[in-house]
Amino acid sequence: MAKKKAAGGLDEGTRIRVKAGVASPDFPDVSFAGWTGSVMEVSGKPPAQKFIVEWDQQTIAGMPADYVSRCESQMLFHAMACLGGEDLELAG
């Protein structure tokens, strides 16, 4: 299956970093700033595209335990998130 092209170079498989000031969409008190991972899926059309991000092992290892617990209690998968393109930048 071909990779879906996205605006701003954030195609499927692209390594990303979350920009400063971005919080979890599910838990606004949890900062995602600096978290890194890869774009797994792109949905929608610009400018409203959404990016399913799978966090890398370093990010998962550094996640607050409370965040993981809260995700589990809400039946959310803590190793992934859905964010807008304005929240992401290419990881260097």
Side-chain angles (χ1 to χ4, degrees), residues 79-92:
M80 299 177 104
C82 180
L83 299 167
E86 68 280 359
D87 299 330
L88 307 173
E89 60 190 10
L90 297 174

Side-chain angles (χ1 to χ4, degrees), residues 8-76:
L10 298 176
D11 302 327
E12 292 175 7
T14 302
R15 296 246 333 121
I16 59 84
R17 177 180 306 106
V18 180
K19 292 179 181 178
V22 176
S24 163
D26 299 301
F27 308 108
D29 60 314
V30 177
S31 173
F32 277 178
W35 290 22
T36 55
S38 297
V39 175
M40 298 306 296
E41 185 178 325
V42 180
S43 64
K45 294 182 180 182
Q49 282 184 311
K50 292 292 182 182
F51 299 84
I52 305 298
V53 174
E54 182 175 27
W55 303 122
D56 59 24
Q57 288 302 313
Q58 181 178 359
T59 295
I60 291 170
M63 284 179 180
D66 180 60
Y67 172 72
V68 175
S69 300
R70 290 164 69 187
C71 286
E72 290 172 353
S73 72
Q74 300 266 336
M75 299 180 80
L76 300 171

